[in-house]
Amino acid sequence: MKWPDLLATRGGRLATFFLLYTTEGIPLGFTATAIATQMRRQGLGPVAIGAFVGSLYLPWAFKWVMGPFVDAFTSERFGRRRTWIFAAQVGMMGSLALAMPVDYVAQLTLFTAIIFVHNAFAATQDVAIDALAVGVLPEHERGTANGFMFAGASVGQAIGGSGVLFLAAVMSFPATYVFVIGALLAVMVFVVLPLREPPGPPRIARDGSAFAAVGAELATFVTDAWRAFTGTRAARVGVVASLLPFGAYALSLALQSNLAVELGLDDNTVAQLNLVSTFVFALACVAGGWISDRYGRRSTLAFFVFLTVVPTLYLAYAMQQAAWILPVDMAQPNRPLPAPSLVITFWITVIAFNVFQGLYYGVRSALFMDVTVPAVAATQFTAYMAMSNLVVSYTSWWQGNAIVTWGYPLTLVVDSVVGLGVLFLLPFMKARQAEAAAPASPGPRVA
């Protein structure tokens, strides 16, 4: 049977990138939601879970390193980008298979190392997918295609998180690894293998080995990023802003998974909450972008960022009133039971938080685009996004430690206060035409 050329039509291209991004979301939802939930259920503490979730995002903070490798080492016969997508997906499935027999409680260090490698493959795949998109999408399709990509990632996180937790009610949890691997394999068989990637532009002849070319590109990336970051005031402020959380973060990270288990939510209920949160987050992203285009970028972003602290502080108040302060030992006999009102408050605040975070999510990226120098856009914007991923990593780590030391209410308050710090920088993140001095080199094309 002859497979259709998915990249030959608009519908085929949108479906391709939707499904490819789904494979990025599935393992992230599986590890950050499903596995983190099981870790807490089996007695692992918030410090360890916070460090584990933080480690998931580290490869995404440094994925720009793989850009030159994706550019330099390719197969013209199999497809320059398809080669890397295929190889990364094989690595993702293989690393999950290796992780399946590992006890993530008794052998947490080994398990974290394997999942770190898994996410390194996923981040490399992301670089290759974005490079493929740049090469095959007409300019007038890119906005719609990016919307489909984000939707695919959200659907993938729901499948890997909610879907796996639903399945855990009818099968053993180790068996859900097979489900996740099967989902990745299905996309490989029905999308990646039949893909007919068009030939890329002729390669520029280079002296020396491919590794030398990679080193040169990395050096160029660092040089151009530094020059872009120091070229305008808005760009300099953008560096500081990209290293800070935009609003509160706790209700989207390990703290939420820990608390859901402690409050007595079973896997099915956690899955329902995750599914609803993912759905409202995706809708809010679209709405936030439309609102920012209509009423201004920085003002709407500041308002949305402020809104994220409202449910966070309300949950802190509710937990303080209920005297639910420190984490509960899951192995403790006759563990305290939360009041039904606290569980309802948890549901409401988590959903509200995802609405508000979704409203600013795309607007934040657009703001960084606004302060990016066009001549080095790929280099500068990629670095901004990488540093934003680093924020997620270190935030999950410190909050895991803070829960044990300070308790939930104070951690939520500190999370809110820290998250509002970026508001003082937003007035300075306005690119001026007069500041548009920029280096001429376009730098490496890294997604």
Side-chain angles (χ1 to χ4, degrees):
M1 182 180 69
K2 185 176 181 180
W3 293 94
D5 184 359
L6 293 175
L7 298 180
T9 64
R10 181 177 186 273
R13 288 189 289 271
L14 294 179
T16 295
F17 289 108
F18 174 88
L19 291 170
L20 288 176
Y21 258 67
T22 299
T23 64
E24 296 183 17
I26 289 174
L28 186 58
F30 179 57
T31 51
T33 300
I35 290 181
T37 299
Q38 295 303 313
M39 285 178 169
R40 189 68 184 111
R41 204 173 295 286
Q42 295 186 31
L44 211 59
V47 174
I49 296 175
F52 170 73
V53 173
S55 73
L56 302 179
Y57 294 89
L58 276 179
W60 297 86
F62 297 98
K63 67 178 184 176
W64 54 269
V65 174
M66 292 305 301
F69 288 91
V70 172
D71 283 339
F73 296 94
T74 59
S75 168
E76 297 293 344
R77 180 180 177 183
F78 197 65
R80 294 182 184 179
R81 312 308 182 188
R82 187 173 69 149
T83 300
W84 281 94
I85 295 171
F86 175 81
Q89 290 185 348
V90 170
M92 291 163 67
M93 291 185 288
S95 54
L96 281 179
L98 286 175
M100 183 163 53
V102 178
D103 186 328
Y104 46 71
V105 175
Q107 300 172 286
L108 178 60
T109 301
L110 175 60
F111 185 81
T112 301
I114 295 174
I115 297 301
F116 181 89
V117 172
H118 168 81
N119 276 281
F121 282 121
T124 300
Q125 180 195 219
D126 179 67
V127 173
I129 292 172
D130 287 350
L132 177 66
V134 169
V136 303
L137 286 174
E139 185 175 352
H140 65 274
E141 286 183 10
R142 289 175 183 171
T144 302
N146 272 276
F148 271 80
M149 290 177 187
F150 175 79
S154 297
V155 168
Q157 289 187 47
I159 292 172
S162 300
V164 165
L165 289 174
F166 281 132
L167 286 175
V170 297
M171 64 174 64
S172 66
F173 192 76
T176 62
Y177 285 78
V178 178
F179 167 74
V180 174
I181 293 172
L184 297 176
L185 181 62
V187 175
M188 174 188 285
V189 171
F190 295 107
V191 178
V192 178
L193 289 179
L195 208 62
R196 301 178 203 169
E197 181 181 352
R203 292 194 172 279
I204 300 174
R206 56 174 178 249
D207 298 328
S209 68
F211 283 104
V214 168
E217 281 205 46
L218 288 174
T220 301
F221 180 94
V222 173
T223 301
D224 285 352
W226 174 257
R227 295 174 65 189
F229 286 153
T230 58
T232 68
R233 183 183 69 176
R236 292 192 293 271
V237 174
V239 174
V240 180
S242 67
L243 290 170
L244 295 175
F246 274 66
Y249 269 33
L251 292 183
S252 63
L253 295 177
L255 183 146
Q256 187 219 110
S257 299
N258 281 290
L259 193 52
V261 175
E262 290 183 26
L263 294 180
L265 276 65
D266 60 20
D267 286 349
N268 189 65
T269 309
V270 173
Q272 293 174 12
L273 178 58
N274 179 257
L275 189 61
V276 173
S277 298
T278 302
F279 179 73
V280 299
F281 180 89
L283 290 180
C285 280
V286 177
W290 181 85
I291 293 172
S292 73
D293 286 341
R294 189 177 181 87
Y295 297 105
R297 190 96 65 214
R298 291 178 298 158
S299 58
T300 54
L301 179 59
F303 182 58
F304 296 154
V305 166
F306 173 77
L307 287 178
T308 64
V309 311
V310 176
T312 306
L313 290 177
Y314 184 73
L315 180 60
Y317 170 77
M319 296 188 74
Q320 186 70 41
Q321 292 297 109
W324 199 282
I325 309 299
L326 292 170
V328 175
D329 183 357
M330 300 306 297
Q332 175 185 340
N334 301 318
R335 289 190 294 111
L337 297 177
S341 59
L342 181 59
V343 178
I344 294 173
T345 298
F346 176 69
W347 264 81
I348 293 172
T349 53
V350 168
I351 293 172
F353 172 84
N354 275 275
V355 172
F356 299 146
Q357 190 181 53
L359 284 171
Y360 87 68
Y361 201 80
V363 183
R364 178 186 62 175
S365 297
L367 179 66
F368 283 120
M369 289 182 181
D370 290 344
V371 302
T372 294
V373 177
V376 287
T379 300
Q380 189 177 355
F381 185 73
T382 296
Y384 281 142
M385 294 300 97
M387 288 186 283
S388 296
N389 286 323
L390 187 61
V391 173
V392 179
S393 182
Y394 78 66
T395 300
S396 182
W397 176 83
W398 78 255
Q399 288 180 1
N401 286 271
I403 293 168
V404 175
T405 305
W406 301 337
Y408 284 109
L410 183 54
T411 300
L412 291 168
V413 171
V414 174
D415 177 48
S416 299
V417 173
V418 172
L420 291 178
V422 74
L423 296 183
F424 296 99
L425 300 178
L426 295 185
F428 304 102
M429 292 184 66
K430 182 178 181 181
R432 298 179 180 177
Q433 195 69 25
E435 292 182 328
S441 171
R445 188 176 66 192
V446 184

